[in-house]
Structures are given as structure tokens and as C-alpha cells.
Amino acid sequence: MSSKKKQAADKAAEKIDELRAEIEEHNYRYHVLDDPVISDSRYDGLIRALEKLEGEYPELVTSSSPTQRVGGAPVDRFEAVDHRMPMLSLNNAFSPEAVAEFDRRCREGAGRAAICYVAEPKIDGLAISLTYEQGELTRAATRGDGRTGEDVTLNVRSIPSVPLQLRRGWTPRLLDVRGEVFMPVAGFQMLNEQQKARDEKLYANPRNAAAGSLRQLDSKICAQRPLSFFCYAVGTWQGSDQPGTQMQMLEKLREFGLPVNPLAREVNGLDACLEYYQEILALRDKLEYEIDGVVYKVSSIGDQQVLGSVSRAPRWAMAHKFPAQEETTVVKAIEVQVGRSGALTPVARLDPVFVGGVTVSNATLHNASEIERLDVRIGDTVVIRRAGDVIPEVVSVVLEHRRRGARRFRFPSECPVCRSSICSDEGGVIQRCSGGLVCSAQLKESIKHFASRLALDIEGLGAKLVEQLVDSGRVKTPADLFSLSAAEFAELERMGEKSAENLIASLEKSRQTTLPRFLFALGIPQVGEATAQTLAQSFGTLEELLAAPVGSLETVPDVGPVVALEIRRFFDQTHNQQVIDALRQHGVTWPEINPVATPAGGFAGKTVVITGTLPNLSRDQARRWLIEQGAKVSGSISSRTDYLVAGADPGSKYDKAVSLGIEVLEEHEMKAIADKAQP
Ligand code: IVH
């Protein structure tokens, strides 16, 4: 090699080292510290620069380079590999008493008055063992039967939060670390949407999706799956500085660049364990990933050794499980419900089952194509799921339990309540009754909504009463509620004179309302409580709003073209105008609002998109500032965009804006426009 060439190669090698170190530092900040300092596009830029250099000097490519996460030909099957130390399982506790018993055994076994534990969430994913030799990831294996697992190294290498190389300062020559591979809920939902679009099989839950992804024989497919990883234990640690406690161990693993759950912490004694359990249970539905309990581990490694393990589970650790969010039960019938907007929702009537902390006897099947996708039949055993406040739903059919008599459900061809025809909506997914308020089911739901707490808040007008009022023909629109007398109410079932008078009194009270409540009560499609609030604030009076063209509706924050159109359509319907007039004639009224003055600023009525990192304002600050200046801030560039505000590292939005000839502003130019418009 000529000396010039050698010099260039040395320089490239140096640059490659620098880039790798920089990328690894950003990986560490992002995945371990959860504190990224650069944008995704800047990060991608570093990777591209490294790829380019490595392309020029292929001899400098190493297997742990950040560019080498994905590669290798698809395999026929996974090789079986023996674990150096068996991968243990955990004993489960389902009650505080069982945890107390565990604590007692630990104290007795270790000969201590009180025990310090490390508590952490129990991630609902799959266990994996990672081997690092001389700091480099050399093998990743599934748990298998605990002794022998499957070699899934190629797939695990593609998981961004798994370091290919431990950070500088790693010490163990050989480290066998255990953890959980999982799929965050948002990633799971996105994956299922993609699968659906490609007509491929949907995964029942994030755990199955994670398992299915890790078992892909082609690692390029696995690489596209949004998998993540937390480590929580060590199988083998060959090196001098063995940690003395579980917590120290987690801290060391974190220093080595391995992601550790930030919710892991030391808790002293039984009560603190139980408090931790309650705390995490309350967090459960807010976490980005699914958990099915918490795990307590004796923190002192010495005590762990004294306690040892019995049959495949350590004596020093215990999983304290949360109530299951999924259970199986039998579908007794399938019925179709008609919602306020006419949407027809098939509902499975179930043998009651205790799930997610309550007894559930109905679960939604969403729509006709969902029934088809699940192939659920009457008489089937199904998995139902109730997570947090979400409506219980049917997740899958347990086909092994399908009985001979299981019957297919036929979706009705007309509205089951009013016999009106059915039309398809939203790409044919949603079936809707075309009857409008002629359909007593839609009318009932509309009245219930009208009277609900966040709407006109008519106390004492419960569902049963609404049903009677509609079925008897006394109420055909919400306005009719106000023309009934106490005597007429008293004629209804389970209504005494006293309750009839109370109802009249609460109707009287509800007449005096607010514009946001009134707008919300009308049940305009897509207009929830928050939108009703902003509409009221923006227009100030109902008259202004009724007269607003679609264009000015669209300038309201959070009102997009679809919602603007829905609002306009609603107010254009004679029937709705009549109901509004009638309500006002019955004395429904509200205090005036001073509309938020639409600034005469340069952004009034303008649609603006933001991209890149601005020098002074965060995205959210910039968005709010623009809205205050009268702008409508949108997420994507279209021909209707007036300005693109661009900061450092703009993405594809920039190119698109330029190609459409949209004016691009820097932060200071954006400020200048507003300043200039000041009176
Ligand atoms: S500790 C010896 N900690 O739960 C310690 N396990 O039901 C063994 N799991 O096989 C495991 N989150 O796959 C531990 N924070 C956590 C965990 C956890 C999830 C899984 C793991 C294990 C299974 C046992």
C-alpha cells in the first residue's frame, strides 16, 4: 500500500472508531438513560456516514459495529444450545398472604429479622439469555426448557436496545445476562395494522407478537419488528468485581450499557413490597409495555446463595401477579347493538367471568369483519380481555374447544331495531343504520347522551326512563323532554309523584347551561367535550358557529377537515336546526362567552407545519405559540399548507414543502411575522 493510501486508511479507521463511539453513546443515552440528546434524523445521519466509510473500507467492518445489526441469510431452524446455568422460572403469589409467607421463609432461611428486596415490574414478554464474551455479544438464546434453548442470536442482534458491545469499563470476561424481550403496546398496535393491511395474521397480544417476531427464521423480518429489552438477572459473571447485591448488579449492568427497568428499586420488608405492588398496579395501564405483576428478589447475593432454589425456581424470588386481564369463557349469543350514531356493533353475550378485577358478561366484537377475522361462533370458547377501563373485547377463539354445535353468526341485513337499511362506512368496516332519529335505538342513545353528566347533566333521567319515554312515543327529540309535565312523568313505571317533581326540577336546572355543554350535548359526530369547548371559545356564540363555513371551522385548534365537514353537515340538516330552535324556545340558555380574540396576526387562518429542531422553542411550545397567533398547526404538508417552520435536521416534510412551493420559515422569521402584525 502506498503511504498516501495508508494514511487515508488510518484516517478512515480513526473516523470509523469515532463514529462508532458516538453512535454507541447515543444508543446508551436513548435506550439506557432514556435521555436522548439528538434527533432521529441526526442519528440516522451518523449511521449513514459510518456505512459509507465502512463501504469504502470493508476490511474495517467488525461484527459489533452498529451497522451490523441486521444480516445473514434466513435459517432453516434454530440451533439448540445449552445454557451455562439453567434459566430458572419464578413461583407465583396471588395474594398479600402468599407474599407474607414468602417473606417469612426468606427471613427464616437467611436468618435475618428483615429483608431488603429489589422489586421490579414483571414484563410480559419472553425470557432471553445474552452471552457477552470479552464485552462482545456472542450468543442470544431463548429459555426453552430452562436447560436447553434455541439460538436466536441473529434476531436478537437486530433489537436496538440490546448492545452488541458492552460500554467501555465493562469488567466480566464472560457475562451471561438474563432479561425479557418484549414489544411495546404502541409497536404492537402498529404491527397489527400493517399485518392487517397486508392481509397477514394478526397477533393476539404483545407477548405473542414478541414471541412470533423472535421466532422469524429471516432476521430481516425480525429487524422490522418493534422489539425492546430489559435485563433483570445474571446467570454467569466471570470476573473479579462481582456485585454484592441485586441492586448493585442492576446498576453495573446499566453502566455496561444494558437497559434495566427504571422502575426497579430496593424495598425494605413486606409492607414496602406490598406498597410497591399497589404503586405499579396503578401505573399498569400507563406503561408503554404490558406487565403481569411485580417480582420481588432478595437483594443480598449472599442471602440468595444461602436460600438457593428448589425445582427450577429460586427460593429468593417471587412473582406477585396482578389480576389477569385475559380469561376464557363461552359465547352464549351474539347480538347487534345500535349506537348513538347508528353504528352497529356486534356484542358477544358471555358466561360471566372474572377478569381484570370485575365480572364481565358482554364483550365487544367491534364489527362484522372482526367476527370474520376471529371466526368466532356461538358456543365457542373464547379469550376475552379487559385492560384498565377499556371495554372488554374478544381476542381470539380457542379452536381446540370448538364444539360440534357451534353456529356461525349472520350479520343482519337491516337495522335490528328499526328495520331501516344498513349502509357501510369508513371503508366498509362500519355498518350503520340509516334510520337516524327515526331509529328508536339511536334516539335513546342520543337522549341519554344529551342528559349525561358532561352534557346537560339532567339528574334523575336514567337509562330505564329514557327507554320508556322513547318507547311510549312521548319523546322524539331531546327538546320534547322539556315539554312534559310532572303528571306525564308520574305515569311512567317506577316513577312516583315525588320523583316526577324532582325530575322537573332538574330539567329546570339544566336549562341554564353553558355553550360548550350545549354543543357537546347535541352529539355532533366527532365533537367530544374538548372540541365542544374549543368551538365555543373560538366562536363565542351559537349564531357565529351555525354560520361558520368549513374553512373557518378548520382554523379551530384540533379541528381537521373531516371534523369541520361533520360539524357543517350537522348544522345544515333541517332536523337538527329544528331541534336547536325548539331547545332554545324551551328556555335552554347559556351565558355569553368572549371569544378568544383571533389575532389579526400574520398567522390568523394560516395552516402551518413544524419540522426539525428549532433553536429556542420545543415543538410543543412552537405549536402552542402558533395556535395563540391564530394559526392552525397541522402534522403533515399538503397543498393547503401556508408555511413550514423548519429547524435543524428537517425531515422529508422539508423536501415536500419545497417541491410544493410552500414558504419555509426559520424560527426568527416566524416570530417576525407575528411581530409585524402587532397593532
Ligand atoms: S427474574 C431467577 N424478573 O417471568 C430470576 N423475571 O414467570 C428469574 N420475567 O422466566 C427471573 N419480568 O421470563 C424476573 N423483572 C423480572 C421479570 C421476569 C418478567 C419473566 C421471566 C421468567 C418469568 C417467570
Side-chain angles (χ1 to χ4, degrees):
M1 197 189 282
S2 77
S3 76
K4 235 194 189 143
K5 259 196 176 155
K6 168 126 188 21
Q7 252 181 6
D10 285 350
K11 207 154 164 221
E14 211 173 285
K15 183 71 195 160
I16 284 177
D17 277 350
E18 254 174 54
L19 279 168
R20 285 182 190 156
E22 197 178 343
I23 290 167
E24 267 149 26
E25 189 60 23
H26 290 307
N27 279 342
Y28 173 66
R29 294 203 68 111
Y30 187 89
H31 295 294
V32 182
L33 302 184
D34 193 17
D35 180 25
V37 284
I38 59 167
S39 64
D40 289 359
S41 60
R42 188 106 145 236
Y43 178 87
D44 292 342
L46 292 172
I47 294 274
R48 277 199 300 271
L50 179 59
E51 274 169 351
K52 184 161 174 282
L53 267 178
E54 287 181 346
E56 287 163 23
Y57 296 92
E59 67 279 11
L60 296 177
V61 177
T62 60
S63 68
S64 57
S65 169
T67 59
Q68 303 300 304
R69 284 202 170 264
V70 191
V75 294
D76 298 331
R77 62 186 182 89
F78 299 111
E79 296 292 327
V81 284
D82 288 337
H83 297 298
R84 223 166 259 103
M85 293 289 277
M87 283 182 82
L88 299 177
S89 175
L90 290 170
N91 289 321
N92 291 325
F94 293 94
S95 67
E97 292 73 32
V99 181
E101 185 54 28
F102 160 70
D103 176 55
R104 192 189 56 75
R105 284 195 309 267
C106 287
R107 280 185 285 118
E108 277 182 16
R112 294 189 190 280
I115 298 252
C116 175
Y117 298 93
V118 167
E120 59 183 292
K122 184 172 186 298
I123 312 282
D124 210 0
L126 49 143
I128 207 94
S129 164
L130 306 179
T131 307
Y132 287 89
E133 290 174 271
Q134 302 299 338
E136 199 173 314
L137 176 67
T138 51
R139 197 181 85 179
T142 60
R143 179 165 179 277
D145 63 6
R147 295 187 172 283
T148 309
E150 286 178 319
D151 186 331
V152 286
T153 312
L154 284 183
N155 283 348
V156 169
R157 283 176 64 95
S158 75
I159 302 175
S161 51
V162 171
L164 299 180
Q165 167 82 50
L166 297 183
R167 274 166 66 76
R168 258 188 290 268
W170 58 267
T171 46
R173 318 186 272 291
L174 187 134
L175 178 69
D176 199 352
V177 31
R178 271 85 198 262
E180 201 83 351
V181 167
F182 61 94
M183 191 176 285
V185 178
F188 160 72
Q189 285 162 348
M190 222 164 62
L191 170 63
N192 259 357
E193 268 163 36
Q194 284 168 1
Q195 294 283 101
K196 201 172 186 175
R198 294 191 208 120
D199 238 356
E200 281 179 45
K201 111 167 201 239
L202 299 196
Y203 291 102
N205 54 46
R207 203 191 104 80
N208 287 2
S213 300
L214 212 56
R215 295 196 51 79
Q216 293 290 328
L217 295 168
D218 182 351
S219 65
K220 288 189 193 68
I221 298 182
C222 180
Q224 286 157 9
R225 302 291 174 83
L227 294 175
S228 195
F229 171 73
F230 277 133
C231 60
Y232 46 65
V234 161
T236 307
W237 179 306
Q238 283 176 13
S240 51
D241 70 335
Q242 309 245 343
T245 69
Q246 183 77 18
M247 201 63 215
Q248 281 168 12
M249 179 179 88
L250 294 181
E251 275 152 16
K252 285 238 159 91
L253 295 178
R254 205 178 262 149
E255 279 167 29
F256 298 165
L258 288 155
V260 170
N261 193 315
L263 296 168
R265 69 160 187 262
E266 280 183 334
V267 288
N268 273 306
L270 173 65
D271 289 349
C273 285
L274 299 177
E275 269 169 36
Y276 183 85
Y277 174 90
Q278 289 301 337
E279 180 186 326
I280 303 297
L281 182 57
L283 267 184
R284 183 186 199 177
D285 296 319
K286 295 186 195 81
L287 294 177
E288 287 167 2
Y289 44 86
E290 292 207 327
I291 60 176
D292 57 350
V294 298
V295 184
Y296 311 121
K297 295 167 201 167
V298 171
S299 193
S300 154
I301 307 268
D303 286 353
Q304 289 183 2
Q305 278 157 0
V306 169
L307 287 161
S309 27
V310 248
S311 74
R312 318 211 306 161
R315 276 209 199 81
W316 47 267
M318 175 70 94
H320 189 181
K321 300 286 286 265
F322 291 151
Q325 289 180 317
E326 288 187 1
E327 280 300 343
T328 58
T329 185
V330 173
V331 176
K332 292 193 300 189
I334 297 177
E335 287 168 14
V336 171
Q337 275 179 356
V338 187
R340 177 156 60 86
S341 64
L344 302 182
T345 309
V347 176
R349 307 283 178 216
L350 309 165
D351 265 342
V353 59
F354 191 73
V355 55
V358 297
T359 301
V360 166
S361 33
N362 303 304
T364 180
L365 285 159
H366 298 291
N367 51 53
S369 48
E370 179 73 355
I371 296 184
E372 213 170 285
R373 179 182 78 77
L374 293 165
D375 183 25
V376 58
R377 303 183 191 177
I378 300 153
D380 269 348
T381 298
V382 291
V383 176
I384 71 148
R385 177 179 175 81
R386 179 186 181 273
D389 296 335
V390 182
I391 307 169
E393 60 175 359
V394 176
V395 178
S396 59
V397 175
V398 186
L399 280 178
E400 304 86 81
H401 292 175
R402 174 163 286 167
R403 301 187 198 139
R404 272 175 170 267
R407 274 185 301 123
R408 280 206 169 81
F409 172 72
R410 280 196 39 201
F411 209 85
S413 53
E414 52 185 33
C415 172
V417 175
C418 73
R419 306 280 159 226
S420 294
S421 60
I422 290 175
C423 42
S424 288
D425 209 345
E426 289 163 49
V429 179
I430 295 183
Q431 267 68 246
R432 239 178 249 284
C433 158
S434 61
L437 294 187
V438 168
C439 174
S440 66
Q442 289 187 55
L443 178 57
K444 284 174 189 170
E445 292 309 312
S446 305
I447 304 274
K448 284 184 215 166
H449 172 77
F450 182 81
S452 65
R453 205 170 47 80
L454 298 173
L456 255 67
D457 193 18
I458 307 173
E459 225 174 289
L461 190 67
K464 285 269 173 316
L465 216 50
V466 171
E467 273 161 33
Q468 288 188 63
L469 288 168
V470 171
D471 288 340
S472 65
R474 287 180 172 90
V475 167
K476 296 200 168 59
T477 80
D480 294 342
L481 290 170
F482 294 98
S483 52
L484 291 169
S485 64
E488 280 169 295
F489 280 126
E491 283 169 19
L492 300 172
E493 265 172 54
R494 282 190 281 178
M495 276 294 272
E497 260 172 44
K498 184 75 195 134
S499 6
E501 272 163 30
N502 286 346
L503 187 53
I504 290 285
S506 51
L507 276 161
E508 180 59 39
K509 200 168 123 203
S510 71
R511 280 192 172 96
Q512 183 63 49
T513 186
T514 65
L515 182 53
R517 278 179 178 273
F518 182 77
L519 293 176
F520 176 62
L522 291 177
I524 306 165
Q526 314 254 16
V527 175
E529 198 207 342
T531 310
Q533 188 88 39
T534 32
L535 284 171
Q537 217 102 68
S538 310
F539 291 93
T541 67
L542 183 63
E543 288 64 32
E544 286 283 327
L545 177 59
L546 288 176
V550 172
S552 70
L553 287 167
E554 275 185 39
T555 64
V556 174
D558 295 331
V559 173
V562 176
V563 181
L565 209 64
E566 288 283 10
I567 299 172
R568 199 53 266 152
R569 261 198 217 136
F570 183 91
F571 289 134
D572 283 343
Q573 279 180 25
T574 328
H575 168 79
N576 292 330
Q577 289 165 6
Q578 284 166 348
V579 172
I580 292 172
D581 286 345
L583 284 167
R584 303 195 79 179
Q585 268 161 25
H586 280 108
V588 176
T589 170
W590 49 86
E592 262 185 36
I593 303 185
N594 287 330
V596 175
T598 316
F603 290 105
K606 300 286 185 203
T607 301
V608 185
V609 175
I610 311 171
T611 185
T613 314
L614 304 182
N616 301 301
L617 298 175
S618 74
R619 283 275 183 101
D620 218 39
Q621 285 169 329
R623 195 176 62 81
R624 261 184 260 137
W625 185 87
L626 280 161
I627 290 170
E628 277 166 23
Q629 303 299 320
K632 174 175 180 293
V633 180
S634 157
S636 55
I637 301 273
S638 75
S639 55
R640 284 194 322 235
T641 309
D642 294 294
Y643 297 110
L644 174 72
V645 174
D649 297 311
S652 57
K653 286 179 195 163
Y654 182 87
D655 301 334
K656 189 158 179 203
V658 172
S659 73
L660 288 173
I662 289 161
E663 191 171 342
V664 179
L665 304 175
E666 288 190 29
E667 187 187 287
H668 68 94
E669 292 170 318
M670 163 183 104
K671 288 273 166 98
I673 290 187
D675 288 345
K676 231 174 35 205
Q678 288 293 320

